[in-house]
Short mmCIF file of all heavy atoms in Angstrom, two decimals:
data_model
loop_
_atom_site.label_atom_id
_atom_site.label_comp_id
_atom_site.label_asym_id
_atom_site.label_seq_id
_atom_site.Cartn_x
_atom_site.Cartn_y
_atom_site.Cartn_z
N MET A 1 -11.26 16.13 -6.89
CA MET A 1 -10.09 15.48 -6.34
C MET A 1 -10.39 14.03 -5.99
O MET A 1 -9.61 13.15 -6.28
CB MET A 1 -9.63 16.27 -5.11
CG MET A 1 -8.44 15.67 -4.42
SD MET A 1 -7.00 15.86 -5.45
CE MET A 1 -5.75 15.37 -4.34
N ARG A 2 -11.53 13.77 -5.34
CA ARG A 2 -11.89 12.40 -4.98
C ARG A 2 -12.06 11.54 -6.22
O ARG A 2 -11.68 10.38 -6.23
CB ARG A 2 -13.18 12.36 -4.17
CG ARG A 2 -12.98 12.67 -2.74
CD ARG A 2 -14.19 12.32 -1.93
NE ARG A 2 -15.43 12.61 -2.61
CZ ARG A 2 -16.53 13.00 -2.02
NH1 ARG A 2 -16.55 13.19 -0.73
NH2 ARG A 2 -17.62 13.22 -2.70
N ARG A 3 -12.64 12.12 -7.26
CA ARG A 3 -12.87 11.35 -8.48
C ARG A 3 -11.54 10.92 -9.11
O ARG A 3 -11.39 9.80 -9.56
CB ARG A 3 -13.69 12.17 -9.47
CG ARG A 3 -14.05 11.39 -10.70
CD ARG A 3 -14.91 12.22 -11.64
NE ARG A 3 -15.54 11.36 -12.57
CZ ARG A 3 -16.82 11.12 -12.65
NH1 ARG A 3 -17.64 11.72 -11.84
NH2 ARG A 3 -17.31 10.31 -13.55
N ILE A 4 -10.57 11.83 -9.12
CA ILE A 4 -9.25 11.50 -9.66
C ILE A 4 -8.61 10.39 -8.84
O ILE A 4 -8.05 9.44 -9.38
CB ILE A 4 -8.34 12.75 -9.69
CG1 ILE A 4 -8.88 13.74 -10.72
CG2 ILE A 4 -6.90 12.37 -10.01
CD1 ILE A 4 -8.20 15.09 -10.67
N PHE A 5 -8.71 10.50 -7.50
CA PHE A 5 -8.15 9.46 -6.64
C PHE A 5 -8.81 8.12 -6.91
O PHE A 5 -8.14 7.10 -7.01
CB PHE A 5 -8.32 9.85 -5.16
CG PHE A 5 -7.87 8.78 -4.21
CD1 PHE A 5 -6.53 8.58 -3.96
CD2 PHE A 5 -8.80 7.95 -3.60
CE1 PHE A 5 -6.11 7.57 -3.11
CE2 PHE A 5 -8.39 6.95 -2.74
CZ PHE A 5 -7.04 6.76 -2.49
N LEU A 6 -10.12 8.11 -7.02
CA LEU A 6 -10.86 6.88 -7.25
C LEU A 6 -10.47 6.24 -8.58
O LEU A 6 -10.22 5.04 -8.65
CB LEU A 6 -12.37 7.14 -7.20
CG LEU A 6 -13.28 5.94 -7.38
CD1 LEU A 6 -12.99 4.88 -6.32
CD2 LEU A 6 -14.72 6.36 -7.31
N VAL A 7 -10.40 7.03 -9.63
CA VAL A 7 -10.03 6.50 -10.94
C VAL A 7 -8.61 5.96 -10.92
O VAL A 7 -8.34 4.88 -11.44
CB VAL A 7 -10.20 7.59 -12.02
CG1 VAL A 7 -9.60 7.15 -13.34
CG2 VAL A 7 -11.66 7.94 -12.20
N THR A 8 -7.70 6.68 -10.29
CA THR A 8 -6.31 6.23 -10.19
C THR A 8 -6.22 4.94 -9.40
O THR A 8 -5.52 4.00 -9.79
CB THR A 8 -5.44 7.32 -9.53
OG1 THR A 8 -5.54 8.51 -10.30
CG2 THR A 8 -3.99 6.89 -9.45
N ALA A 9 -6.92 4.88 -8.30
CA ALA A 9 -6.88 3.68 -7.47
C ALA A 9 -7.48 2.48 -8.20
O ALA A 9 -6.96 1.36 -8.10
CB ALA A 9 -7.62 3.93 -6.16
N MET A 10 -8.56 2.70 -8.92
CA MET A 10 -9.18 1.61 -9.67
C MET A 10 -8.25 1.12 -10.77
O MET A 10 -8.14 -0.08 -11.01
CB MET A 10 -10.52 2.04 -10.25
CG MET A 10 -11.60 2.14 -9.21
SD MET A 10 -13.18 2.73 -9.84
CE MET A 10 -13.52 1.53 -11.10
N ALA A 11 -7.57 2.05 -11.44
CA ALA A 11 -6.63 1.66 -12.49
C ALA A 11 -5.50 0.83 -11.90
O ALA A 11 -5.09 -0.18 -12.47
CB ALA A 11 -6.09 2.90 -13.19
N ALA A 12 -5.00 1.25 -10.77
CA ALA A 12 -3.92 0.51 -10.12
C ALA A 12 -4.39 -0.88 -9.69
O ALA A 12 -3.67 -1.86 -9.81
CB ALA A 12 -3.40 1.29 -8.91
N ALA A 13 -5.59 -0.97 -9.18
CA ALA A 13 -6.12 -2.25 -8.71
C ALA A 13 -6.35 -3.22 -9.85
O ALA A 13 -6.21 -4.43 -9.68
CB ALA A 13 -7.41 -2.03 -7.93
N THR A 14 -6.71 -2.72 -11.01
CA THR A 14 -7.02 -3.60 -12.13
C THR A 14 -5.84 -3.78 -13.07
O THR A 14 -5.94 -4.49 -14.05
CB THR A 14 -8.24 -3.08 -12.92
OG1 THR A 14 -7.96 -1.77 -13.39
CG2 THR A 14 -9.48 -3.08 -12.05
N ALA A 15 -4.70 -3.17 -12.77
CA ALA A 15 -3.53 -3.26 -13.64
C ALA A 15 -2.91 -4.65 -13.63
O ALA A 15 -2.23 -5.03 -14.56
CB ALA A 15 -2.49 -2.22 -13.25
N GLY A 16 -3.11 -5.39 -12.58
CA GLY A 16 -2.56 -6.74 -12.50
C GLY A 16 -2.70 -7.25 -11.09
O GLY A 16 -2.95 -6.50 -10.17
N CYS A 17 -2.53 -8.52 -10.92
CA CYS A 17 -2.65 -9.10 -9.59
C CYS A 17 -1.35 -8.89 -8.84
O CYS A 17 -0.32 -9.39 -9.25
CB CYS A 17 -2.98 -10.58 -9.67
SG CYS A 17 -4.65 -10.88 -10.27
N VAL A 18 -1.42 -8.14 -7.80
CA VAL A 18 -0.26 -7.91 -6.95
C VAL A 18 -0.70 -8.06 -5.50
O VAL A 18 -1.87 -7.99 -5.19
CB VAL A 18 0.36 -6.51 -7.15
CG1 VAL A 18 0.92 -6.35 -8.54
CG2 VAL A 18 -0.65 -5.41 -6.87
N THR A 19 0.27 -8.25 -4.65
CA THR A 19 -0.03 -8.32 -3.23
C THR A 19 0.72 -7.22 -2.51
O THR A 19 1.82 -6.87 -2.90
CB THR A 19 0.32 -9.71 -2.64
OG1 THR A 19 -0.06 -9.72 -1.28
CG2 THR A 19 1.79 -10.03 -2.75
N ASN A 20 0.11 -6.66 -1.50
CA ASN A 20 0.72 -5.57 -0.76
C ASN A 20 0.78 -5.99 0.69
O ASN A 20 -0.23 -6.31 1.30
CB ASN A 20 -0.13 -4.30 -0.92
CG ASN A 20 0.51 -3.10 -0.28
OD1 ASN A 20 1.43 -3.22 0.52
ND2 ASN A 20 0.02 -1.94 -0.63
N SER A 21 1.97 -5.96 1.26
CA SER A 21 2.15 -6.40 2.63
C SER A 21 1.88 -5.29 3.64
O SER A 21 2.18 -5.44 4.81
CB SER A 21 3.57 -6.93 2.82
OG SER A 21 4.50 -5.89 2.56
N GLY A 22 1.29 -4.19 3.22
CA GLY A 22 0.98 -3.10 4.13
C GLY A 22 1.99 -1.98 4.09
O GLY A 22 1.77 -0.94 4.68
N GLY A 23 3.09 -2.17 3.40
CA GLY A 23 4.11 -1.14 3.28
C GLY A 23 4.09 -0.54 1.90
O GLY A 23 3.11 -0.64 1.18
N ASP A 24 5.16 0.08 1.53
CA ASP A 24 5.24 0.70 0.21
C ASP A 24 5.68 -0.28 -0.87
O ASP A 24 5.58 0.03 -2.04
CB ASP A 24 6.21 1.88 0.25
CG ASP A 24 5.67 3.03 1.08
OD1 ASP A 24 4.44 3.16 1.19
OD2 ASP A 24 6.48 3.80 1.59
N THR A 25 6.18 -1.42 -0.49
CA THR A 25 6.67 -2.39 -1.47
C THR A 25 5.51 -3.24 -1.98
O THR A 25 4.78 -3.83 -1.20
CB THR A 25 7.73 -3.30 -0.84
OG1 THR A 25 8.78 -2.49 -0.33
CG2 THR A 25 8.28 -4.27 -1.85
N ILE A 26 5.37 -3.30 -3.27
CA ILE A 26 4.35 -4.13 -3.90
C ILE A 26 5.07 -5.15 -4.77
O ILE A 26 5.89 -4.80 -5.59
CB ILE A 26 3.37 -3.29 -4.75
CG1 ILE A 26 2.63 -2.31 -3.86
CG2 ILE A 26 2.40 -4.18 -5.51
CD1 ILE A 26 1.71 -1.38 -4.59
N ALA A 27 4.75 -6.41 -4.57
CA ALA A 27 5.38 -7.48 -5.31
C ALA A 27 4.35 -8.22 -6.13
O ALA A 27 3.25 -8.50 -5.65
CB ALA A 27 6.08 -8.44 -4.35
N GLN A 28 4.70 -8.55 -7.36
CA GLN A 28 3.80 -9.31 -8.21
C GLN A 28 3.71 -10.74 -7.71
O GLN A 28 4.72 -11.33 -7.32
CB GLN A 28 4.32 -9.30 -9.64
CG GLN A 28 3.39 -9.96 -10.62
CD GLN A 28 3.82 -9.76 -12.06
OE1 GLN A 28 4.78 -9.06 -12.33
NE2 GLN A 28 3.12 -10.38 -12.97
N ILE A 29 2.49 -11.29 -7.69
CA ILE A 29 2.35 -12.67 -7.26
C ILE A 29 2.68 -13.59 -8.44
O ILE A 29 2.59 -13.20 -9.60
CB ILE A 29 0.94 -12.98 -6.68
CG1 ILE A 29 -0.14 -12.72 -7.71
CG2 ILE A 29 0.69 -12.19 -5.43
CD1 ILE A 29 -1.52 -13.10 -7.23
N SER A 30 3.05 -14.81 -8.14
CA SER A 30 3.47 -15.73 -9.19
C SER A 30 2.31 -16.08 -10.11
O SER A 30 1.15 -16.09 -9.70
CB SER A 30 4.05 -17.00 -8.57
OG SER A 30 3.07 -17.68 -7.84
N SER A 31 2.63 -16.38 -11.35
CA SER A 31 1.59 -16.66 -12.34
C SER A 31 0.81 -17.93 -12.02
O SER A 31 -0.37 -18.03 -12.35
CB SER A 31 2.19 -16.76 -13.74
OG SER A 31 3.12 -17.82 -13.81
N ASP A 32 1.43 -18.91 -11.36
CA ASP A 32 0.69 -20.13 -11.01
C ASP A 32 -0.40 -19.85 -9.99
O ASP A 32 -1.40 -20.55 -9.94
CB ASP A 32 1.63 -21.23 -10.52
CG ASP A 32 2.40 -20.85 -9.27
OD1 ASP A 32 2.81 -19.69 -9.15
OD2 ASP A 32 2.60 -21.74 -8.42
N ILE A 33 -0.24 -18.81 -9.19
CA ILE A 33 -1.29 -18.41 -8.25
C ILE A 33 -2.30 -17.51 -8.94
O ILE A 33 -3.50 -17.71 -8.85
CB ILE A 33 -0.70 -17.69 -7.02
CG1 ILE A 33 0.16 -18.66 -6.20
CG2 ILE A 33 -1.80 -17.09 -6.15
CD1 ILE A 33 0.93 -18.01 -5.08
N SER A 34 -1.82 -16.51 -9.66
CA SER A 34 -2.72 -15.52 -10.25
C SER A 34 -3.64 -16.08 -11.32
O SER A 34 -4.75 -15.59 -11.49
CB SER A 34 -1.93 -14.35 -10.82
OG SER A 34 -1.13 -14.74 -11.91
N LYS A 35 -3.23 -17.13 -12.03
CA LYS A 35 -4.09 -17.66 -13.10
C LYS A 35 -5.33 -18.37 -12.56
O LYS A 35 -6.27 -18.59 -13.30
CB LYS A 35 -3.30 -18.56 -14.04
CG LYS A 35 -2.82 -19.84 -13.42
CD LYS A 35 -1.97 -20.62 -14.42
CE LYS A 35 -1.33 -21.83 -13.77
NZ LYS A 35 -0.40 -22.48 -14.68
N ASN A 36 -5.34 -18.72 -11.28
CA ASN A 36 -6.51 -19.39 -10.71
C ASN A 36 -6.98 -18.69 -9.43
O ASN A 36 -7.45 -19.32 -8.51
CB ASN A 36 -6.20 -20.86 -10.41
CG ASN A 36 -7.45 -21.65 -10.09
OD1 ASN A 36 -8.52 -21.37 -10.63
ND2 ASN A 36 -7.35 -22.61 -9.20
N ALA A 37 -6.85 -17.37 -9.40
CA ALA A 37 -7.15 -16.63 -8.16
C ALA A 37 -8.29 -15.63 -8.36
O ALA A 37 -8.61 -15.23 -9.46
CB ALA A 37 -5.91 -15.89 -7.70
N PHE A 38 -8.89 -15.30 -7.23
CA PHE A 38 -9.82 -14.17 -7.18
C PHE A 38 -9.48 -13.36 -5.94
O PHE A 38 -8.83 -13.87 -5.02
CB PHE A 38 -11.28 -14.64 -7.17
CG PHE A 38 -11.72 -15.30 -5.88
CD1 PHE A 38 -12.29 -14.55 -4.86
CD2 PHE A 38 -11.56 -16.66 -5.70
CE1 PHE A 38 -12.71 -15.17 -3.68
CE2 PHE A 38 -11.97 -17.28 -4.53
CZ PHE A 38 -12.54 -16.53 -3.51
N VAL A 39 -9.86 -12.10 -5.95
CA VAL A 39 -9.57 -11.23 -4.82
C VAL A 39 -10.66 -11.40 -3.78
O VAL A 39 -11.83 -11.17 -4.05
CB VAL A 39 -9.46 -9.75 -5.27
CG1 VAL A 39 -9.21 -8.84 -4.08
CG2 VAL A 39 -8.36 -9.60 -6.30
N LYS A 40 -10.25 -11.82 -2.60
CA LYS A 40 -11.20 -12.10 -1.53
C LYS A 40 -11.55 -10.85 -0.75
O LYS A 40 -12.72 -10.61 -0.45
CB LYS A 40 -10.60 -13.14 -0.59
CG LYS A 40 -11.51 -13.54 0.55
CD LYS A 40 -10.87 -14.61 1.40
CE LYS A 40 -11.78 -14.96 2.56
NZ LYS A 40 -11.18 -15.94 3.44
N ASP A 41 -10.56 -10.04 -0.39
CA ASP A 41 -10.79 -8.86 0.44
C ASP A 41 -10.14 -7.63 -0.18
O ASP A 41 -9.06 -7.73 -0.77
CB ASP A 41 -10.20 -9.06 1.84
CG ASP A 41 -10.87 -10.18 2.61
OD1 ASP A 41 -12.11 -10.17 2.66
OD2 ASP A 41 -10.16 -11.04 3.14
N ILE A 42 -10.78 -6.50 0.01
CA ILE A 42 -10.24 -5.21 -0.42
C ILE A 42 -10.17 -4.33 0.82
O ILE A 42 -11.17 -4.14 1.50
CB ILE A 42 -11.12 -4.55 -1.49
CG1 ILE A 42 -11.17 -5.43 -2.75
CG2 ILE A 42 -10.62 -3.14 -1.82
CD1 ILE A 42 -12.15 -4.97 -3.79
N THR A 43 -8.99 -3.83 1.11
CA THR A 43 -8.79 -2.95 2.25
C THR A 43 -8.61 -1.53 1.72
O THR A 43 -7.82 -1.31 0.81
CB THR A 43 -7.54 -3.36 3.05
OG1 THR A 43 -7.72 -4.71 3.47
CG2 THR A 43 -7.35 -2.48 4.26
N VAL A 44 -9.34 -0.61 2.31
CA VAL A 44 -9.28 0.78 1.86
C VAL A 44 -8.77 1.66 2.99
O VAL A 44 -9.29 1.62 4.10
CB VAL A 44 -10.69 1.29 1.43
CG1 VAL A 44 -10.63 2.74 0.99
CG2 VAL A 44 -11.25 0.41 0.33
N ASN A 45 -7.74 2.43 2.70
CA ASN A 45 -7.28 3.47 3.61
C ASN A 45 -7.94 4.76 3.13
O ASN A 45 -7.46 5.40 2.20
CB ASN A 45 -5.77 3.60 3.60
CG ASN A 45 -5.09 2.37 4.16
OD1 ASN A 45 -5.60 1.75 5.08
ND2 ASN A 45 -3.97 2.00 3.59
N THR A 46 -9.06 5.10 3.74
CA THR A 46 -9.87 6.22 3.28
C THR A 46 -9.10 7.53 3.43
O THR A 46 -8.61 7.84 4.52
CB THR A 46 -11.18 6.28 4.08
OG1 THR A 46 -11.84 5.02 3.95
CG2 THR A 46 -12.10 7.37 3.56
N PRO A 47 -8.99 8.30 2.35
CA PRO A 47 -8.25 9.57 2.42
C PRO A 47 -9.00 10.60 3.27
O PRO A 47 -10.23 10.58 3.35
CB PRO A 47 -8.17 10.02 0.97
CG PRO A 47 -9.26 9.29 0.26
CD PRO A 47 -9.50 8.02 1.03
N ALA A 48 -8.24 11.48 3.88
CA ALA A 48 -8.83 12.55 4.68
C ALA A 48 -9.76 13.38 3.80
O ALA A 48 -9.45 13.66 2.64
CB ALA A 48 -7.73 13.43 5.27
N GLY A 49 -10.89 13.73 4.33
CA GLY A 49 -11.84 14.56 3.59
C GLY A 49 -12.78 13.79 2.69
O GLY A 49 -13.63 14.38 2.03
N ALA A 50 -12.63 12.47 2.64
CA ALA A 50 -13.52 11.67 1.80
C ALA A 50 -14.91 11.64 2.42
O ALA A 50 -15.07 11.70 3.63
CB ALA A 50 -12.98 10.25 1.67
N GLY A 51 -15.90 11.52 1.57
CA GLY A 51 -17.28 11.47 2.03
C GLY A 51 -17.60 10.17 2.75
O GLY A 51 -16.83 9.21 2.69
N PRO A 52 -18.74 10.12 3.41
CA PRO A 52 -19.10 8.94 4.22
C PRO A 52 -19.30 7.67 3.39
O PRO A 52 -19.18 6.57 3.91
CB PRO A 52 -20.39 9.36 4.92
CG PRO A 52 -20.94 10.48 4.10
CD PRO A 52 -19.76 11.16 3.48
N GLN A 53 -19.59 7.79 2.13
CA GLN A 53 -19.83 6.62 1.29
C GLN A 53 -18.61 6.21 0.47
O GLN A 53 -18.68 5.29 -0.34
CB GLN A 53 -21.01 6.90 0.33
CG GLN A 53 -22.33 7.07 1.05
CD GLN A 53 -22.71 5.80 1.81
OE1 GLN A 53 -22.57 4.70 1.31
NE2 GLN A 53 -23.17 5.98 3.03
N PHE A 54 -17.49 6.89 0.67
CA PHE A 54 -16.30 6.64 -0.15
C PHE A 54 -15.88 5.18 -0.12
O PHE A 54 -15.71 4.53 -1.15
CB PHE A 54 -15.12 7.52 0.28
CG PHE A 54 -13.86 7.24 -0.48
CD1 PHE A 54 -13.66 7.82 -1.72
CD2 PHE A 54 -12.91 6.37 0.01
CE1 PHE A 54 -12.50 7.54 -2.45
CE2 PHE A 54 -11.76 6.09 -0.70
CZ PHE A 54 -11.56 6.68 -1.93
N GLU A 55 -15.69 4.62 1.09
CA GLU A 55 -15.18 3.26 1.21
C GLU A 55 -16.11 2.25 0.55
O GLU A 55 -15.67 1.38 -0.21
CB GLU A 55 -14.95 2.89 2.67
CG GLU A 55 -14.34 1.51 2.83
CD GLU A 55 -13.98 1.16 4.26
OE1 GLU A 55 -14.00 2.03 5.15
OE2 GLU A 55 -13.68 -0.01 4.50
N ALA A 56 -17.40 2.35 0.82
CA ALA A 56 -18.36 1.40 0.24
C ALA A 56 -18.39 1.51 -1.28
O ALA A 56 -18.40 0.50 -1.99
CB ALA A 56 -19.75 1.64 0.82
N THR A 57 -18.38 2.74 -1.79
CA THR A 57 -18.41 2.95 -3.24
C THR A 57 -17.13 2.43 -3.88
O THR A 57 -17.17 1.77 -4.92
CB THR A 57 -18.61 4.44 -3.56
OG1 THR A 57 -19.83 4.88 -2.96
CG2 THR A 57 -18.64 4.70 -5.05
N PHE A 58 -16.00 2.72 -3.26
CA PHE A 58 -14.71 2.26 -3.78
C PHE A 58 -14.68 0.74 -3.86
O PHE A 58 -14.34 0.16 -4.89
CB PHE A 58 -13.58 2.79 -2.90
CG PHE A 58 -12.22 2.39 -3.37
CD1 PHE A 58 -11.55 3.17 -4.30
CD2 PHE A 58 -11.61 1.24 -2.91
CE1 PHE A 58 -10.29 2.81 -4.75
CE2 PHE A 58 -10.35 0.87 -3.36
CZ PHE A 58 -9.70 1.66 -4.28
N LYS A 59 -15.02 0.08 -2.75
CA LYS A 59 -15.00 -1.39 -2.72
C LYS A 59 -15.94 -1.99 -3.77
O LYS A 59 -15.59 -2.95 -4.44
CB LYS A 59 -15.38 -1.90 -1.33
CG LYS A 59 -14.27 -1.76 -0.33
CD LYS A 59 -14.68 -2.37 1.00
CE LYS A 59 -13.56 -2.36 2.00
NZ LYS A 59 -13.93 -3.02 3.27
N LYS A 60 -17.12 -1.41 -3.92
CA LYS A 60 -18.08 -1.91 -4.90
C LYS A 60 -17.52 -1.79 -6.31
O LYS A 60 -17.55 -2.75 -7.09
CB LYS A 60 -19.39 -1.13 -4.80
CG LYS A 60 -20.44 -1.52 -5.82
CD LYS A 60 -21.67 -0.63 -5.68
CE LYS A 60 -22.68 -0.86 -6.77
NZ LYS A 60 -22.22 -0.39 -8.08
N ASN A 61 -16.99 -0.62 -6.66
CA ASN A 61 -16.48 -0.39 -8.01
C ASN A 61 -15.26 -1.26 -8.31
O ASN A 61 -15.16 -1.84 -9.40
CB ASN A 61 -16.14 1.08 -8.21
CG ASN A 61 -17.37 1.95 -8.27
OD1 ASN A 61 -18.47 1.48 -8.53
ND2 ASN A 61 -17.21 3.23 -7.99
N VAL A 62 -14.33 -1.36 -7.38
CA VAL A 62 -13.14 -2.18 -7.60
C VAL A 62 -13.52 -3.66 -7.67
O VAL A 62 -13.02 -4.39 -8.52
CB VAL A 62 -12.08 -1.91 -6.51
CG1 VAL A 62 -10.93 -2.90 -6.62
CG2 VAL A 62 -11.56 -0.48 -6.62
N SER A 63 -14.43 -4.11 -6.82
CA SER A 63 -14.87 -5.51 -6.85
C SER A 63 -15.49 -5.86 -8.20
O SER A 63 -15.23 -6.94 -8.75
CB SER A 63 -15.89 -5.78 -5.74
OG SER A 63 -15.30 -5.67 -4.49
N GLU A 64 -16.30 -4.96 -8.74
CA GLU A 64 -16.92 -5.20 -10.04
C GLU A 64 -15.86 -5.31 -11.14
O GLU A 64 -15.96 -6.17 -12.01
CB GLU A 64 -17.92 -4.09 -10.37
CG GLU A 64 -19.18 -4.15 -9.53
CD GLU A 64 -20.09 -2.95 -9.73
OE1 GLU A 64 -19.74 -2.02 -10.48
OE2 GLU A 64 -21.17 -2.94 -9.10
N LYS A 65 -14.86 -4.44 -11.10
CA LYS A 65 -13.80 -4.49 -12.11
C LYS A 65 -12.97 -5.76 -11.98
O LYS A 65 -12.64 -6.40 -12.98
CB LYS A 65 -12.88 -3.26 -12.00
CG LYS A 65 -13.53 -1.97 -12.37
CD LYS A 65 -13.75 -1.90 -13.87
CE LYS A 65 -14.29 -0.53 -14.24
NZ LYS A 65 -14.56 -0.43 -15.66
N LEU A 66 -12.60 -6.11 -10.75
CA LEU A 66 -11.79 -7.30 -10.54
C LEU A 66 -12.54 -8.57 -10.93
O LEU A 66 -11.94 -9.54 -11.39
CB LEU A 66 -11.33 -7.38 -9.09
CG LEU A 66 -10.26 -6.37 -8.69
CD1 LEU A 66 -10.03 -6.41 -7.19
CD2 LEU A 66 -8.96 -6.63 -9.44
N ALA A 67 -13.85 -8.58 -10.76
CA ALA A 67 -14.65 -9.75 -11.10
C ALA A 67 -14.59 -10.07 -12.59
O ALA A 67 -14.86 -11.19 -13.00
CB ALA A 67 -16.08 -9.55 -10.66
N THR A 68 -14.23 -9.09 -13.42
CA THR A 68 -14.14 -9.33 -14.85
C THR A 68 -12.82 -9.99 -15.27
O THR A 68 -12.73 -10.53 -16.35
CB THR A 68 -14.31 -8.02 -15.65
OG1 THR A 68 -13.22 -7.16 -15.39
CG2 THR A 68 -15.62 -7.34 -15.31
N CYS A 69 -11.81 -9.95 -14.39
CA CYS A 69 -10.52 -10.53 -14.78
C CYS A 69 -10.00 -11.55 -13.78
O CYS A 69 -9.28 -12.45 -14.17
CB CYS A 69 -9.49 -9.44 -15.01
SG CYS A 69 -9.05 -8.49 -13.55
N ALA A 70 -10.32 -11.42 -12.53
CA ALA A 70 -9.84 -12.36 -11.51
C ALA A 70 -10.96 -13.35 -11.22
O ALA A 70 -11.68 -13.22 -10.24
CB ALA A 70 -9.42 -11.60 -10.25
N LYS A 71 -11.09 -14.34 -12.09
CA LYS A 71 -12.23 -15.25 -12.06
C LYS A 71 -11.90 -16.63 -11.52
O LYS A 71 -12.68 -17.56 -11.71
CB LYS A 71 -12.79 -15.41 -13.47
CG LYS A 71 -13.27 -14.12 -14.09
CD LYS A 71 -13.75 -14.37 -15.49
CE LYS A 71 -14.23 -13.08 -16.13
NZ LYS A 71 -14.76 -13.30 -17.46
N GLY A 72 -10.79 -16.77 -10.85
CA GLY A 72 -10.37 -18.08 -10.37
C GLY A 72 -11.21 -18.62 -9.23
O GLY A 72 -12.20 -18.01 -8.82
N THR A 73 -10.78 -19.74 -8.72
CA THR A 73 -11.49 -20.40 -7.62
C THR A 73 -10.73 -20.33 -6.31
O THR A 73 -11.25 -20.72 -5.27
CB THR A 73 -11.77 -21.87 -7.97
OG1 THR A 73 -10.52 -22.52 -8.21
CG2 THR A 73 -12.66 -21.99 -9.17
N GLN A 74 -9.50 -19.86 -6.35
CA GLN A 74 -8.64 -19.79 -5.18
C GLN A 74 -8.53 -18.35 -4.69
O GLN A 74 -8.13 -17.48 -5.44
CB GLN A 74 -7.24 -20.32 -5.55
CG GLN A 74 -6.28 -20.38 -4.42
CD GLN A 74 -6.61 -21.49 -3.44
OE1 GLN A 74 -7.27 -22.46 -3.79
NE2 GLN A 74 -6.18 -21.33 -2.22
N PRO A 75 -8.89 -18.07 -3.43
CA PRO A 75 -8.75 -16.70 -2.93
C PRO A 75 -7.30 -16.30 -2.79
O PRO A 75 -6.44 -17.12 -2.46
CB PRO A 75 -9.45 -16.75 -1.56
CG PRO A 75 -9.39 -18.17 -1.15
CD PRO A 75 -9.41 -18.97 -2.41
N CYS A 76 -7.02 -15.09 -3.10
CA CYS A 76 -5.66 -14.59 -2.93
C CYS A 76 -5.71 -13.15 -2.44
O CYS A 76 -6.76 -12.55 -2.38
CB CYS A 76 -4.88 -14.66 -4.24
SG CYS A 76 -4.94 -13.20 -5.26
N CYS A 77 -4.62 -12.64 -2.15
CA CYS A 77 -4.39 -11.23 -1.81
C CYS A 77 -5.28 -10.75 -0.68
O CYS A 77 -6.35 -10.33 -0.84
CB CYS A 77 -4.53 -10.34 -3.00
SG CYS A 77 -3.88 -11.04 -4.53
#
């Protein structure tokens, strides 16, 4: 179950640059920002029952994936 969640979350994170204001609404950021942006912070809402290393592993894996596409010089999201 955790593996499915992790894969799904990683796919969602790498699907495109979006910003989340903490609610259920996700809005795409403008192309003039996204073309020169990198992801500065990743916030994880750890699911119930996740192991003690879940958050660190998730952040590491997502950061590595984002580093391949979000290569700008301006922090965003």
Side-chain angles (χ1 to χ4, degrees):
M1 179 69 170
R2 279 193 323 214
R3 184 178 197 113
I4 292 171
F5 175 78
L6 182 58
V7 170
T8 302
M10 286 177 58
T14 59
C17 290
V18 295
T19 183
N20 185 345
S21 61
D24 291 333
T25 303
I26 297 177
Q28 185 172 356
I29 60 175
S30 64
S31 62
D32 61 322
I33 294 172
S34 66
K35 67 184 173 187
N36 192 33
F38 70 92
V39 178
K40 181 178 178 182
D41 296 310
I42 298 172
T43 302
V44 179
N45 294 325
T46 305
Q53 294 299 317
F54 177 83
E55 183 175 349
T57 301
F58 181 87
K59 284 183 175 183
K60 177 183 173 290
N61 290 339
V62 172
S63 294
E64 289 173 357
K65 292 288 185 182
L66 288 172
T68 66
C69 65
K71 300 178 180 183
T73 59
Q74 183 72 23
C76 92
C77 321

